[in-house]
Amino acid sequence: IGTIRLEQNEHGVLMVTDLKDLGPGPHGFHLHENPDCGPATKDDEPTPAGAAGGPYDPENTGAHKGPFSTDGHLGDLPRIHVGQEGESEQTYLAPRLELNHFRGRAHVIHQGSDNYSDDPQPLGGGGARVACGVVPES
């Protein structure tokens, strides 16, 4: 569906999106633990991109609090905003991350928005995984 270019700067990592074929509106966006976009089975149901595992959380906070909170998953990224034509050509900032955090992990885009909370639904309520891309080791 496109590319996400990563650039380190003094304020964190810039993520420059060039995406298409997504549903319009905001979408949850996370950095996930494993560099694998294959399906997995959870509760006897197939999960697209389930092999990517959960959000990157090296401090085991177990909390989804958004990209600017210092006490939640490190893999919480800013929501992606997609225009009416299904495209996103935007630049987003991940202020708590460095490039090395992305290497060997996966970006996951969710069907719905993200409220940066585990309430009323886990992981911001973004729902199904609709896109996934592996970030190379180098």
Side-chain angles (χ1 to χ4, degrees), residues 83-110:
Q84 291 301 312
E85 301 298 320
E87 298 178 353
S88 174
E89 294 179 4
Q90 303 282 328
T91 299
Y92 302 93
L93 176 67
R96 299 173 42 215
L97 295 168
E98 297 178 5
L99 277 177
N100 64 319
H101 292 122
F102 286 85
R103 293 186 177 115
R105 306 214 183 282
H107 279 122
V108 173
I109 299 173
H110 293 267

mmCIF file with all atom_site columns, all heavy atoms in Angstrom, residues 83-110:
data_model
loop_
_atom_site.group_PDB
_atom_site.id
_atom_site.type_symbol
_atom_site.label_atom_id
_atom_site.label_alt_id
_atom_site.label_comp_id
_atom_site.label_asym_id
_atom_site.label_entity_id
_atom_site.label_seq_id
_atom_site.pdbx_PDB_ins_code
_atom_site.Cartn_x
_atom_site.Cartn_y
_atom_site.Cartn_z
_atom_site.occupancy
_atom_site.B_iso_or_equiv
_atom_site.pdbx_formal_charge
_atom_site.auth_seq_id
_atom_site.auth_comp_id
_atom_site.auth_asym_id
_atom_site.auth_atom_id
_atom_site.pdbx_PDB_model_num
ATOM 1   N N   . GLY A 1 83  ? -7.010  10.692 3.798  1.00 0.00 ? 83  GLY A N   1
ATOM 2   C CA  . GLY A 1 83  ? -7.974  11.525 3.081  1.00 0.00 ? 83  GLY A CA  1
ATOM 3   C C   . GLY A 1 83  ? -9.089  10.717 2.434  1.00 0.00 ? 83  GLY A C   1
ATOM 4   O O   . GLY A 1 83  ? -9.064  9.484  2.413  1.00 0.00 ? 83  GLY A O   1
ATOM 5   N N   . GLN A 1 84  ? -10.056 11.417 1.862  1.00 0.00 ? 84  GLN A N   1
ATOM 6   C CA  . GLN A 1 84  ? -11.222 10.789 1.241  1.00 0.00 ? 84  GLN A CA  1
ATOM 7   C C   . GLN A 1 84  ? -10.864 9.863  0.081  1.00 0.00 ? 84  GLN A C   1
ATOM 8   O O   . GLN A 1 84  ? -11.618 8.958  -0.247 1.00 0.00 ? 84  GLN A O   1
ATOM 9   C CB  . GLN A 1 84  ? -12.213 11.864 0.772  1.00 0.00 ? 84  GLN A CB  1
ATOM 10  C CG  . GLN A 1 84  ? -12.878 12.601 1.913  1.00 0.00 ? 84  GLN A CG  1
ATOM 11  C CD  . GLN A 1 84  ? -13.646 11.663 2.842  1.00 0.00 ? 84  GLN A CD  1
ATOM 12  O OE1 . GLN A 1 84  ? -14.415 10.825 2.397  1.00 0.00 ? 84  GLN A OE1 1
ATOM 13  N NE2 . GLN A 1 84  ? -13.403 11.786 4.133  1.00 0.00 ? 84  GLN A NE2 1
ATOM 14  N N   . GLU A 1 85  ? -9.717  10.097 -0.535 1.00 0.00 ? 85  GLU A N   1
ATOM 15  C CA  . GLU A 1 85  ? -9.276  9.241  -1.646 1.00 0.00 ? 85  GLU A CA  1
ATOM 16  C C   . GLU A 1 85  ? -8.501  8.016  -1.167 1.00 0.00 ? 85  GLU A C   1
ATOM 17  O O   . GLU A 1 85  ? -7.981  7.252  -1.981 1.00 0.00 ? 85  GLU A O   1
ATOM 18  C CB  . GLU A 1 85  ? -8.418  10.055 -2.624 1.00 0.00 ? 85  GLU A CB  1
ATOM 19  C CG  . GLU A 1 85  ? -9.138  11.253 -3.226 1.00 0.00 ? 85  GLU A CG  1
ATOM 20  C CD  . GLU A 1 85  ? -10.349 10.854 -4.040 1.00 0.00 ? 85  GLU A CD  1
ATOM 21  O OE1 . GLU A 1 85  ? -10.281 9.847  -4.764 1.00 0.00 ? 85  GLU A OE1 1
ATOM 22  O OE2 . GLU A 1 85  ? -11.387 11.544 -3.929 1.00 0.00 ? 85  GLU A OE2 1
ATOM 23  N N   . GLY A 1 86  ? -8.378  7.839  0.169  1.00 0.00 ? 86  GLY A N   1
ATOM 24  C CA  . GLY A 1 86  ? -7.682  6.675  0.719  1.00 0.00 ? 86  GLY A CA  1
ATOM 25  C C   . GLY A 1 86  ? -6.181  6.828  0.768  1.00 0.00 ? 86  GLY A C   1
ATOM 26  O O   . GLY A 1 86  ? -5.465  5.834  0.882  1.00 0.00 ? 86  GLY A O   1
ATOM 27  N N   . GLU A 1 87  ? -5.683  8.059  0.710  1.00 0.00 ? 87  GLU A N   1
ATOM 28  C CA  . GLU A 1 87  ? -4.234  8.295  0.684  1.00 0.00 ? 87  GLU A CA  1
ATOM 29  C C   . GLU A 1 87  ? -3.768  9.071  1.910  1.00 0.00 ? 87  GLU A C   1
ATOM 30  O O   . GLU A 1 87  ? -4.504  9.877  2.471  1.00 0.00 ? 87  GLU A O   1
ATOM 31  C CB  . GLU A 1 87  ? -3.865  9.064  -0.578 1.00 0.00 ? 87  GLU A CB  1
ATOM 32  C CG  . GLU A 1 87  ? -4.185  8.301  -1.837 1.00 0.00 ? 87  GLU A CG  1
ATOM 33  C CD  . GLU A 1 87  ? -3.874  9.083  -3.100 1.00 0.00 ? 87  GLU A CD  1
ATOM 34  O OE1 . GLU A 1 87  ? -3.533  10.273 -3.015 1.00 0.00 ? 87  GLU A OE1 1
ATOM 35  O OE2 . GLU A 1 87  ? -3.999  8.492  -4.181 1.00 0.00 ? 87  GLU A OE2 1
ATOM 36  N N   . SER A 1 88  ? -2.525  8.823  2.298  1.00 0.00 ? 88  SER A N   1
ATOM 37  C CA  . SER A 1 88  ? -1.887  9.567  3.384  1.00 0.00 ? 88  SER A CA  1
ATOM 38  C C   . SER A 1 88  ? -0.469  9.917  2.960  1.00 0.00 ? 88  SER A C   1
ATOM 39  O O   . SER A 1 88  ? 0.368   9.033  2.790  1.00 0.00 ? 88  SER A O   1
ATOM 40  C CB  . SER A 1 88  ? -1.838  8.741  4.674  1.00 0.00 ? 88  SER A CB  1
ATOM 41  O OG  . SER A 1 88  ? -1.098  9.427  5.669  1.00 0.00 ? 88  SER A OG  1
ATOM 42  N N   . GLU A 1 89  ? -0.247  11.183 2.764  1.00 0.00 ? 89  GLU A N   1
ATOM 43  C CA  . GLU A 1 89  ? 1.100   11.697 2.501  1.00 0.00 ? 89  GLU A CA  1
ATOM 44  C C   . GLU A 1 89  ? 1.368   12.732 3.582  1.00 0.00 ? 89  GLU A C   1
ATOM 45  O O   . GLU A 1 89  ? 1.161   13.923 3.376  1.00 0.00 ? 89  GLU A O   1
ATOM 46  C CB  . GLU A 1 89  ? 1.188   12.293 1.097  1.00 0.00 ? 89  GLU A CB  1
ATOM 47  C CG  . GLU A 1 89  ? 1.031   11.259 0.004  1.00 0.00 ? 89  GLU A CG  1
ATOM 48  C CD  . GLU A 1 89  ? 1.107   11.858 -1.387 1.00 0.00 ? 89  GLU A CD  1
ATOM 49  O OE1 . GLU A 1 89  ? 1.362   13.074 -1.526 1.00 0.00 ? 89  GLU A OE1 1
ATOM 50  O OE2 . GLU A 1 89  ? 0.900   11.100 -2.340 1.00 0.00 ? 89  GLU A OE2 1
ATOM 51  N N   . GLN A 1 90  ? 1.754   12.237 4.749  1.00 0.00 ? 90  GLN A N   1
ATOM 52  C CA  . GLN A 1 90  ? 1.925   13.079 5.931  1.00 0.00 ? 90  GLN A CA  1
ATOM 53  C C   . GLN A 1 90  ? 3.263   12.768 6.596  1.00 0.00 ? 90  GLN A C   1
ATOM 54  O O   . GLN A 1 90  ? 3.875   11.738 6.341  1.00 0.00 ? 90  GLN A O   1
ATOM 55  C CB  . GLN A 1 90  ? 0.805   12.795 6.945  1.00 0.00 ? 90  GLN A CB  1
ATOM 56  C CG  . GLN A 1 90  ? -0.588  12.977 6.422  1.00 0.00 ? 90  GLN A CG  1
ATOM 57  C CD  . GLN A 1 90  ? -0.992  14.430 6.341  1.00 0.00 ? 90  GLN A CD  1
ATOM 58  O OE1 . GLN A 1 90  ? -0.557  15.243 7.151  1.00 0.00 ? 90  GLN A OE1 1
ATOM 59  N NE2 . GLN A 1 90  ? -1.802  14.763 5.370  1.00 0.00 ? 90  GLN A NE2 1
ATOM 60  N N   . THR A 1 91  ? 3.657   13.650 7.505  1.00 0.00 ? 91  THR A N   1
ATOM 61  C CA  . THR A 1 91  ? 4.824   13.415 8.350  1.00 0.00 ? 91  THR A CA  1
ATOM 62  C C   . THR A 1 91  ? 4.359   13.403 9.796  1.00 0.00 ? 91  THR A C   1
ATOM 63  O O   . THR A 1 91  ? 3.638   14.302 10.237 1.00 0.00 ? 91  THR A O   1
ATOM 64  C CB  . THR A 1 91  ? 5.880   14.520 8.142  1.00 0.00 ? 91  THR A CB  1
ATOM 65  O OG1 . THR A 1 91  ? 6.285   14.496 6.765  1.00 0.00 ? 91  THR A OG1 1
ATOM 66  C CG2 . THR A 1 91  ? 7.098   14.287 9.023  1.00 0.00 ? 91  THR A CG2 1
ATOM 67  N N   . TYR A 1 92  ? 4.742   12.363 10.518 1.00 0.00 ? 92  TYR A N   1
ATOM 68  C CA  . TYR A 1 92  ? 4.374   12.185 11.915 1.00 0.00 ? 92  TYR A CA  1
ATOM 69  C C   . TYR A 1 92  ? 5.636   12.084 12.747 1.00 0.00 ? 92  TYR A C   1
ATOM 70  O O   . TYR A 1 92  ? 6.679   11.643 12.268 1.00 0.00 ? 92  TYR A O   1
ATOM 71  C CB  . TYR A 1 92  ? 3.546   10.906 12.089 1.00 0.00 ? 92  TYR A CB  1
ATOM 72  C CG  . TYR A 1 92  ? 2.294   10.900 11.254 1.00 0.00 ? 92  TYR A CG  1
ATOM 73  C CD1 . TYR A 1 92  ? 2.287   10.338 9.982  1.00 0.00 ? 92  TYR A CD1 1
ATOM 74  C CD2 . TYR A 1 92  ? 1.128   11.481 11.723 1.00 0.00 ? 92  TYR A CD2 1
ATOM 75  C CE1 . TYR A 1 92  ? 1.146   10.344 9.211  1.00 0.00 ? 92  TYR A CE1 1
ATOM 76  C CE2 . TYR A 1 92  ? -0.029  11.493 10.945 1.00 0.00 ? 92  TYR A CE2 1
ATOM 77  C CZ  . TYR A 1 92  ? -0.009  10.926 9.696  1.00 0.00 ? 92  TYR A CZ  1
ATOM 78  O OH  . TYR A 1 92  ? -1.136  10.938 8.930  1.00 0.00 ? 92  TYR A OH  1
ATOM 79  N N   . LEU A 1 93  ? 5.539   12.425 14.022 1.00 0.00 ? 93  LEU A N   1
ATOM 80  C CA  . LEU A 1 93  ? 6.690   12.377 14.928 1.00 0.00 ? 93  LEU A CA  1
ATOM 81  C C   . LEU A 1 93  ? 6.461   11.335 16.011 1.00 0.00 ? 93  LEU A C   1
ATOM 82  O O   . LEU A 1 93  ? 5.404   11.317 16.655 1.00 0.00 ? 93  LEU A O   1
ATOM 83  C CB  . LEU A 1 93  ? 6.906   13.750 15.582 1.00 0.00 ? 93  LEU A CB  1
ATOM 84  C CG  . LEU A 1 93  ? 8.018   13.815 16.628 1.00 0.00 ? 93  LEU A CG  1
ATOM 85  C CD1 . LEU A 1 93  ? 9.386   13.604 15.984 1.00 0.00 ? 93  LEU A CD1 1
ATOM 86  C CD2 . LEU A 1 93  ? 7.963   15.138 17.375 1.00 0.00 ? 93  LEU A CD2 1
ATOM 87  N N   . ALA A 1 94  ? 7.449   10.479 16.209 1.00 0.00 ? 94  ALA A N   1
ATOM 88  C CA  . ALA A 1 94  ? 7.483   9.543  17.334 1.00 0.00 ? 94  ALA A CA  1
ATOM 89  C C   . ALA A 1 94  ? 8.528   10.091 18.307 1.00 0.00 ? 94  ALA A C   1
ATOM 90  O O   . ALA A 1 94  ? 9.723   9.813  18.174 1.00 0.00 ? 94  ALA A O   1
ATOM 91  C CB  . ALA A 1 94  ? 7.850   8.147  16.861 1.00 0.00 ? 94  ALA A CB  1
ATOM 92  N N   . PRO A 1 95  ? 8.107   10.899 19.285 1.00 0.00 ? 95  PRO A N   1
ATOM 93  C CA  . PRO A 1 95  ? 9.059   11.641 20.112 1.00 0.00 ? 95  PRO A CA  1
ATOM 94  C C   . PRO A 1 95  ? 9.860   10.798 21.100 1.00 0.00 ? 95  PRO A C   1
ATOM 95  O O   . PRO A 1 95  ? 10.926  11.221 21.544 1.00 0.00 ? 95  PRO A O   1
ATOM 96  C CB  . PRO A 1 95  ? 8.173   12.638 20.859 1.00 0.00 ? 95  PRO A CB  1
ATOM 97  C CG  . PRO A 1 95  ? 6.849   11.980 20.934 1.00 0.00 ? 95  PRO A CG  1
ATOM 98  C CD  . PRO A 1 95  ? 6.731   11.189 19.654 1.00 0.00 ? 95  PRO A CD  1
ATOM 99  N N   . ARG A 1 96  ? 9.394   9.607  21.423 1.00 0.00 ? 96  ARG A N   1
ATOM 100 C CA  . ARG A 1 96  ? 10.077  8.785  22.426 1.00 0.00 ? 96  ARG A CA  1
ATOM 101 C C   . ARG A 1 96  ? 10.984  7.723  21.816 1.00 0.00 ? 96  ARG A C   1
ATOM 102 O O   . ARG A 1 96  ? 11.620  6.966  22.531 1.00 0.00 ? 96  ARG A O   1
ATOM 103 C CB  . ARG A 1 96  ? 9.046   8.106  23.308 1.00 0.00 ? 96  ARG A CB  1
ATOM 104 C CG  . ARG A 1 96  ? 8.177   9.096  24.053 1.00 0.00 ? 96  ARG A CG  1
ATOM 105 C CD  . ARG A 1 96  ? 7.021   8.437  24.804 1.00 0.00 ? 96  ARG A CD  1
ATOM 106 N NE  . ARG A 1 96  ? 7.387   7.224  25.475 1.00 0.00 ? 96  ARG A NE  1
ATOM 107 C CZ  . ARG A 1 96  ? 6.587   6.167  25.603 1.00 0.00 ? 96  ARG A CZ  1
ATOM 108 N NH1 . ARG A 1 96  ? 5.374   6.185  25.098 1.00 0.00 ? 96  ARG A NH1 1
ATOM 109 N NH2 . ARG A 1 96  ? 6.990   5.084  26.232 1.00 0.00 ? 96  ARG A NH2 1
ATOM 110 N N   . LEU A 1 97  ? 11.029  7.672  20.499 1.00 0.00 ? 97  LEU A N   1
ATOM 111 C CA  . LEU A 1 97  ? 11.754  6.597  19.831 1.00 0.00 ? 97  LEU A CA  1
ATOM 112 C C   . LEU A 1 97  ? 13.000  7.091  19.114 1.00 0.00 ? 97  LEU A C   1
ATOM 113 O O   . LEU A 1 97  ? 13.110  8.267  18.765 1.00 0.00 ? 97  LEU A O   1
ATOM 114 C CB  . LEU A 1 97  ? 10.843  5.897  18.828 1.00 0.00 ? 97  LEU A CB  1
ATOM 115 C CG  . LEU A 1 97  ? 9.653   5.162  19.439 1.00 0.00 ? 97  LEU A CG  1
ATOM 116 C CD1 . LEU A 1 97  ? 8.671   4.757  18.363 1.00 0.00 ? 97  LEU A CD1 1
ATOM 117 C CD2 . LEU A 1 97  ? 10.118  3.954  20.210 1.00 0.00 ? 97  LEU A CD2 1
ATOM 118 N N   . GLU A 1 98  ? 13.910  6.151  18.885 1.00 0.00 ? 98  GLU A N   1
ATOM 119 C CA  . GLU A 1 98  ? 15.092  6.359  18.046 1.00 0.00 ? 98  GLU A CA  1
ATOM 120 C C   . GLU A 1 98  ? 15.029  5.331  16.925 1.00 0.00 ? 98  GLU A C   1
ATOM 121 O O   . GLU A 1 98  ? 14.306  4.328  17.037 1.00 0.00 ? 98  GLU A O   1
ATOM 122 C CB  . GLU A 1 98  ? 16.365  6.170  18.870 1.00 0.00 ? 98  GLU A CB  1
ATOM 123 C CG  . GLU A 1 98  ? 16.497  7.180  19.998 1.00 0.00 ? 98  GLU A CG  1
ATOM 124 C CD  . GLU A 1 98  ? 17.740  6.939  20.838 1.00 0.00 ? 98  GLU A CD  1
ATOM 125 O OE1 . GLU A 1 98  ? 18.559  6.055  20.503 1.00 0.00 ? 98  GLU A OE1 1
ATOM 126 O OE2 . GLU A 1 98  ? 17.888  7.653  21.844 1.00 0.00 ? 98  GLU A OE2 1
ATOM 127 N N   . LEU A 1 99  ? 15.785  5.566  15.859 1.00 0.00 ? 99  LEU A N   1
ATOM 128 C CA  . LEU A 1 99  ? 15.744  4.655  14.706 1.00 0.00 ? 99  LEU A CA  1
ATOM 129 C C   . LEU A 1 99  ? 15.999  3.205  15.102 1.00 0.00 ? 99  LEU A C   1
ATOM 130 O O   . LEU A 1 99  ? 15.359  2.296  14.569 1.00 0.00 ? 99  LEU A O   1
ATOM 131 C CB  . LEU A 1 99  ? 16.759  5.084  13.649 1.00 0.00 ? 99  LEU A CB  1
ATOM 132 C CG  . LEU A 1 99  ? 16.307  6.180  12.700 1.00 0.00 ? 99  LEU A CG  1
ATOM 133 C CD1 . LEU A 1 99  ? 17.438  6.549  11.745 1.00 0.00 ? 99  LEU A CD1 1
ATOM 134 C CD2 . LEU A 1 99  ? 15.071  5.778  11.917 1.00 0.00 ? 99  LEU A CD2 1
ATOM 135 N N   . ASN A 1 100 ? 16.905  2.963  16.027 1.00 0.00 ? 100 ASN A N   1
ATOM 136 C CA  . ASN A 1 100 ? 17.236  1.578  16.390 1.00 0.00 ? 100 ASN A CA  1
ATOM 137 C C   . ASN A 1 100 ? 16.040  0.849  17.001 1.00 0.00 ? 100 ASN A C   1
ATOM 138 O O   . ASN A 1 100 ? 15.975  -0.377 16.940 1.00 0.00 ? 100 ASN A O   1
ATOM 139 C CB  . ASN A 1 100 ? 18.434  1.516  17.321 1.00 0.00 ? 100 ASN A CB  1
ATOM 140 C CG  . ASN A 1 100 ? 18.188  2.180  18.652 1.00 0.00 ? 100 ASN A CG  1
ATOM 141 O OD1 . ASN A 1 100 ? 17.577  3.239  18.734 1.00 0.00 ? 100 ASN A OD1 1
ATOM 142 N ND2 . ASN A 1 100 ? 18.670  1.561  19.715 1.00 0.00 ? 100 ASN A ND2 1
ATOM 143 N N   . HIS A 1 101 ? 15.078  1.561  17.582 1.00 0.00 ? 101 HIS A N   1
ATOM 144 C CA  . HIS A 1 101 ? 13.882  0.911  18.110 1.00 0.00 ? 101 HIS A CA  1
ATOM 145 C C   . HIS A 1 101 ? 13.033  0.300  16.990 1.00 0.00 ? 101 HIS A C   1
ATOM 146 O O   . HIS A 1 101 ? 12.335  -0.695 17.219 1.00 0.00 ? 101 HIS A O   1
ATOM 147 C CB  . HIS A 1 101 ? 13.005  1.914  18.878 1.00 0.00 ? 101 HIS A CB  1
ATOM 148 C CG  . HIS A 1 101 ? 13.610  2.404  20.144 1.00 0.00 ? 101 HIS A CG  1
ATOM 149 N ND1 . HIS A 1 101 ? 13.826  3.735  20.383 1.00 0.00 ? 101 HIS A ND1 1
ATOM 150 C CD2 . HIS A 1 101 ? 14.044  1.748  21.239 1.00 0.00 ? 101 HIS A CD2 1
ATOM 151 C CE1 . HIS A 1 101 ? 14.365  3.876  21.575 1.00 0.00 ? 101 HIS A CE1 1
ATOM 152 N NE2 . HIS A 1 101 ? 14.506  2.685  22.119 1.00 0.00 ? 101 HIS A NE2 1
ATOM 153 N N   . PHE A 1 102 ? 13.064  0.866  15.800 1.00 0.00 ? 102 PHE A N   1
ATOM 154 C CA  . PHE A 1 102 ? 12.242  0.407  14.681 1.00 0.00 ? 102 PHE A CA  1
ATOM 155 C C   . PHE A 1 102 ? 12.832  -0.812 13.981 1.00 0.00 ? 102 PHE A C   1
ATOM 156 O O   . PHE A 1 102 ? 12.093  -1.612 13.421 1.00 0.00 ? 102 PHE A O   1
ATOM 157 C CB  . PHE A 1 102 ? 12.091  1.528  13.637 1.00 0.00 ? 102 PHE A CB  1
ATOM 158 C CG  . PHE A 1 102 ? 11.167  2.633  14.062 1.00 0.00 ? 102 PHE A CG  1
ATOM 159 C CD1 . PHE A 1 102 ? 11.640  3.670  14.842 1.00 0.00 ? 102 PHE A CD1 1
ATOM 160 C CD2 . PHE A 1 102 ? 9.844   2.637  13.667 1.00 0.00 ? 102 PHE A CD2 1
ATOM 161 C CE1 . PHE A 1 102 ? 10.798  4.707  15.231 1.00 0.00 ? 102 PHE A CE1 1
ATOM 162 C CE2 . PHE A 1 102 ? 8.990   3.665  14.052 1.00 0.00 ? 102 PHE A CE2 1
ATOM 163 C CZ  . PHE A 1 102 ? 9.471   4.702  14.841 1.00 0.00 ? 102 PHE A CZ  1
ATOM 164 N N   . ARG A 1 103 ? 14.143  -0.947 14.010 1.00 0.00 ? 103 ARG A N   1
ATOM 165 C CA  . ARG A 1 103 ? 14.816  -1.998 13.237 1.00 0.00 ? 103 ARG A CA  1
ATOM 166 C C   . ARG A 1 103 ? 14.394  -3.392 13.697 1.00 0.00 ? 103 ARG A C   1
ATOM 167 O O   . ARG A 1 103 ? 14.409  -3.697 14.889 1.00 0.00 ? 103 ARG A O   1
ATOM 168 C CB  . ARG A 1 103 ? 16.322  -1.828 13.339 1.00 0.00 ? 103 ARG A CB  1
ATOM 169 C CG  . ARG A 1 103 ? 16.779  -0.568 12.639 1.00 0.00 ? 103 ARG A CG  1
ATOM 170 C CD  . ARG A 1 103 ? 18.288  -0.442 12.593 1.00 0.00 ? 103 ARG A CD  1
ATOM 171 N NE  . ARG A 1 103 ? 18.643  0.752  11.857 1.00 0.00 ? 103 ARG A NE  1
ATOM 172 C CZ  . ARG A 1 103 ? 19.250  1.800  12.398 1.00 0.00 ? 103 ARG A CZ  1
ATOM 173 N NH1 . ARG A 1 103 ? 19.583  1.805  13.672 1.00 0.00 ? 103 ARG A NH1 1
ATOM 174 N NH2 . ARG A 1 103 ? 19.538  2.848  11.653 1.00 0.00 ? 103 ARG A NH2 1
ATOM 175 N N   . GLY A 1 104 ? 14.003  -4.207 12.720 1.00 0.00 ? 104 GLY A N   1
ATOM 176 C CA  . GLY A 1 104 ? 13.611  -5.576 13.020 1.00 0.00 ? 104 GLY A CA  1
ATOM 177 C C   . GLY A 1 104 ? 12.262  -5.667 13.721 1.00 0.00 ? 104 GLY A C   1
ATOM 178 O O   . GLY A 1 104 ? 12.028  -6.590 14.493 1.00 0.00 ? 104 GLY A O   1
ATOM 179 N N   . ARG A 1 105 ? 11.371  -4.742 13.458 1.00 0.00 ? 105 ARG A N   1
ATOM 180 C CA  . ARG A 1 105 ? 10.022  -4.741 14.029 1.00 0.00 ? 105 ARG A CA  1
ATOM 181 C C   . ARG A 1 105 ? 9.018   -4.530 12.881 1.00 0.00 ? 105 ARG A C   1
ATOM 182 O O   . ARG A 1 105 ? 9.396   -4.497 11.725 1.00 0.00 ? 105 ARG A O   1
ATOM 183 C CB  . ARG A 1 105 ? 9.882   -3.638 15.069 1.00 0.00 ? 105 ARG A CB  1
ATOM 184 C CG  . ARG A 1 105 ? 10.957  -3.720 16.120 1.00 0.00 ? 105 ARG A CG  1
ATOM 185 C CD  . ARG A 1 105 ? 10.525  -3.297 17.484 1.00 0.00 ? 105 ARG A CD  1
ATOM 186 N NE  . ARG A 1 105 ? 11.662  -3.347 18.382 1.00 0.00 ? 105 ARG A NE  1
ATOM 187 C CZ  . ARG A 1 105 ? 12.170  -4.437 18.929 1.00 0.00 ? 105 ARG A CZ  1
ATOM 188 N NH1 . ARG A 1 105 ? 11.620  -5.601 18.670 1.00 0.00 ? 105 ARG A NH1 1
ATOM 189 N NH2 . ARG A 1 105 ? 13.210  -4.402 19.727 1.00 0.00 ? 105 ARG A NH2 1
ATOM 190 N N   . ALA A 1 106 ? 7.753   -4.358 13.211 1.00 0.00 ? 106 ALA A N   1
ATOM 191 C CA  . ALA A 1 106 ? 6.731   -4.172 12.174 1.00 0.00 ? 106 ALA A CA  1
ATOM 192 C C   . ALA A 1 106 ? 5.842   -2.975 12.502 1.00 0.00 ? 106 ALA A C   1
ATOM 193 O O   . ALA A 1 106 ? 5.491   -2.754 13.662 1.00 0.00 ? 106 ALA A O   1
ATOM 194 C CB  . ALA A 1 106 ? 5.871   -5.422 12.043 1.00 0.00 ? 106 ALA A CB  1
ATOM 195 N N   . HIS A 1 107 ? 5.506   -2.220 11.473 1.00 0.00 ? 107 HIS A N   1
ATOM 196 C CA  . HIS A 1 107 ? 4.464   -1.193 11.578 1.00 0.00 ? 107 HIS A CA  1
ATOM 197 C C   . HIS A 1 107 ? 3.123   -1.872 11.340 1.00 0.00 ? 107 HIS A C   1
ATOM 198 O O   . HIS A 1 107 ? 2.999   -2.679 10.416 1.00 0.00 ? 107 HIS A O   1
ATOM 199 C CB  . HIS A 1 107 ? 4.628   -0.132 10.471 1.00 0.00 ? 107 HIS A CB  1
ATOM 200 C CG  . HIS A 1 107 ? 5.645   0.887  10.751 1.00 0.00 ? 107 HIS A CG  1
ATOM 201 N ND1 . HIS A 1 107 ? 6.723   1.111  9.929  1.00 0.00 ? 107 HIS A ND1 1
ATOM 202 C CD2 . HIS A 1 107 ? 5.757   1.785  11.753 1.00 0.00 ? 107 HIS A CD2 1
ATOM 203 C CE1 . HIS A 1 107 ? 7.446   2.095  10.411 1.00 0.00 ? 107 HIS A CE1 1
ATOM 204 N NE2 . HIS A 1 107 ? 6.885   2.519  11.517 1.00 0.00 ? 107 HIS A NE2 1
ATOM 205 N N   . VAL A 1 108 ? 2.126   -1.531 12.148 1.00 0.00 ? 108 VAL A N   1
ATOM 206 C CA  . VAL A 1 108 ? 0.781   -2.063 11.946 1.00 0.00 ? 108 VAL A CA  1
ATOM 207 C C   . VAL A 1 108 ? -0.199  -0.892 11.934 1.00 0.00 ? 108 VAL A C   1
ATOM 208 O O   . VAL A 1 108 ? -0.165  -0.026 12.806 1.00 0.00 ? 108 VAL A O   1
ATOM 209 C CB  . VAL A 1 108 ? 0.392   -3.072 13.050 1.00 0.00 ? 108 VAL A CB  1
ATOM 210 C CG1 . VAL A 1 108 ? -1.069  -3.485 12.911 1.00 0.00 ? 108 VAL A CG1 1
ATOM 211 C CG2 . VAL A 1 108 ? 1.293   -4.301 12.991 1.00 0.00 ? 108 VAL A CG2 1
ATOM 212 N N   . ILE A 1 109 ? -1.063  -0.882 10.918 1.00 0.00 ? 109 ILE A N   1
ATOM 213 C CA  . ILE A 1 109 ? -2.125  0.113  10.806 1.00 0.00 ? 109 ILE A CA  1
ATOM 214 C C   . ILE A 1 109 ? -3.446  -0.603 11.083 1.00 0.00 ? 109 ILE A C   1
ATOM 215 O O   . ILE A 1 109 ? -3.693  -1.689 10.549 1.00 0.00 ? 109 ILE A O   1
ATOM 216 C CB  . ILE A 1 109 ? -2.147  0.765  9.406  1.00 0.00 ? 109 ILE A CB  1
ATOM 217 C CG1 . ILE A 1 109 ? -0.817  1.482  9.152  1.00 0.00 ? 109 ILE A CG1 1
ATOM 218 C CG2 . ILE A 1 109 ? -3.323  1.745  9.289  1.00 0.00 ? 109 ILE A CG2 1
ATOM 219 C CD1 . ILE A 1 109 ? -0.663  2.022  7.744  1.00 0.00 ? 109 ILE A CD1 1
ATOM 220 N N   . HIS A 1 110 ? -4.262  0.011  11.931 1.00 0.00 ? 110 HIS A N   1
ATOM 221 C CA  . HIS A 1 110 ? -5.536  -0.579 12.339 1.00 0.00 ? 110 HIS A CA  1
ATOM 222 C C   . HIS A 1 110 ? -6.695  0.033  11.569 1.00 0.00 ? 110 HIS A C   1
ATOM 223 O O   . HIS A 1 110 ? -6.599  1.150  11.053 1.00 0.00 ? 110 HIS A O   1
ATOM 224 C CB  . HIS A 1 110 ? -5.735  -0.404 13.842 1.00 0.00 ? 110 HIS A CB  1
ATOM 225 C CG  . HIS A 1 110 ? -4.744  -1.198 14.645 1.00 0.00 ? 110 HIS A CG  1
ATOM 226 N ND1 . HIS A 1 110 ? -5.010  -2.463 15.107 1.00 0.00 ? 110 HIS A ND1 1
ATOM 227 C CD2 . HIS A 1 110 ? -3.486  -0.905 15.035 1.00 0.00 ? 110 HIS A CD2 1
ATOM 228 C CE1 . HIS A 1 110 ? -3.956  -2.923 15.760 1.00 0.00 ? 110 HIS A CE1 1
ATOM 229 N NE2 . HIS A 1 110 ? -3.018  -1.996 15.727 1.00 0.00 ? 110 HIS A NE2 1
#
